[in-house]
Amino acid sequence: MKNVGEAPQEELATGERSTRNRVARSILDHGPSTVTELAGRLGLTSAAVRRHLDALVADDVVAPREQRVYGARTRGRPAKVFALTDCGRDAFDQSYDQLAADALRWIARRSGDEAVMEFARDRLATQAETYREAVEAAAPASRAEALAKALTADGYAATARSAPVGEQLCQHHCPVAHVAEQYPQLCEAETEVFSRLLGTHVQRLATIAHGDGVCTTFIPKTTHQTTDSASASTAGRNPA
């Protein structure tokens, strides 16, 4: 059997991550815990627990706080406990997608599919205003790129690239893909927003929700883009 000191660096790193996850999971299962409580539950030394907690605090997975004392206080300072942060809870399984799908199913059952579409449009309204500011601040030829940067800030990992007679807006991640699989109205409302912001008809070519690797939207070259390009070309041929 290998001694720990002889284990490859990658193997050690994997073991560290595994133990760190056990510490976080124990706090999830049992609530805010002291170092002593964690050491007892996990069969670790207090020093080892503190080392893993330091790393978890640095990663914003857990945060220290004073232990709440119910009844008469004893002498001395209350023991410090470690609790999961919102970021830490998000690292574990969540049911947000199922909750959203259930809510949309209820809306559709009560008020029909058009109500789901109205919800999708309303949901994007606030985001669209932020995107509009970014798009309108950009030069006409750079508006697709400006929209891509605004989408990236919202977690969509978007890029814009040239395509024959236009551009392609690519979203490499979709935070609502699992729900959009059941309710394509979310994608349709987003496409409408892109069209309004860019001032031209756009065409959705692919979506992650439908099994494609990337959400791809084709943006045809608009009149002002063509005019700008022609003007630049003319200026290049006829210098002042």
Side-chain angles (χ1 to χ4, degrees):
M1 179 181 295
K2 286 183 178 180
N3 293 326
V4 173
E6 298 172 348
Q9 192 66 32
E10 184 177 344
E11 185 178 326
L12 281 174
T14 301
E16 289 281 296
R17 285 195 298 273
S18 176
T19 304
R20 204 158 293 163
N21 289 339
R22 287 176 59 212
V23 171
R25 183 76 206 196
S26 183
I27 296 173
L28 177 73
D29 291 340
H30 298 275
S33 306
T34 64
V35 169
T36 302
E37 290 168 342
L38 287 165
R41 288 198 297 262
L42 299 172
L44 299 171
T45 65
S46 294
V49 169
R50 287 193 182 93
R51 178 164 51 82
H52 289 300
L53 286 171
D54 286 344
L56 291 168
V57 168
D59 290 339
D60 193 29
V61 175
V62 304
R65 67 188 191 198
E66 285 193 353
Q67 187 176 32
R68 290 183 179 178
V69 177
Y70 299 94
R73 281 184 176 272
T74 57
R75 286 179 175 274
R77 296 181 59 186
K80 184 185 293 184
V81 296
F82 292 84
L84 286 178
T85 63
D86 289 340
C87 178
R89 290 186 180 279
D90 286 344
F92 293 94
D93 293 336
Q94 302 285 1
S95 299
Y96 299 140
D97 285 348
Q98 187 59 51
L99 176 63
D102 288 346
L104 290 176
R105 190 174 301 111
W106 185 87
I107 291 173
R109 189 168 58 246
R110 291 288 296 266
S111 305
D113 289 340
E114 184 55 35
V116 176
M117 189 67 192
E118 289 179 19
F119 165 81
R121 288 169 176 151
D122 186 72
R123 172 183 171 272
L124 284 169
T126 302
Q127 289 173 273
E129 286 307 307
T130 302
Y131 302 159
R132 184 184 304 282
E133 292 176 8
V135 170
E136 292 183 350
S142 303
R143 287 181 174 175
E145 183 179 354
L147 177 56
K149 289 180 179 178
L151 287 165
T152 296
D154 263 353
Y156 288 87
T159 57
R161 63 189 184 192
S162 297
V165 298
E167 294 177 279
Q168 283 188 353
L169 179 67
C170 299
Q171 295 158 263
H172 302 274
H173 177 65
C174 176
V176 297
H178 295 303
V179 181
E181 288 177 13
Q182 302 174 57
Y183 295 96
Q185 293 96 325
L186 297 176
C187 299
E188 293 168 18
E190 186 178 74
T191 305
E192 290 179 358
V193 166
F194 292 169
S195 180
R196 287 199 304 274
L197 291 176
L198 298 171
T200 184
H201 170 74
V202 301
Q203 182 181 3
R204 188 72 71 133
L205 303 179
T207 63
I208 294 172
H210 291 160
D212 302 299
V214 179
C215 294
T216 306
T217 304
F218 173 68
I219 306 165
K221 187 173 291 185
T222 58
T223 303
H224 61 70
Q225 287 176 313
T226 304
T227 302
D228 289 347
S229 298
S231 299
S233 177
T234 302
R237 291 197 303 270
N238 301 296

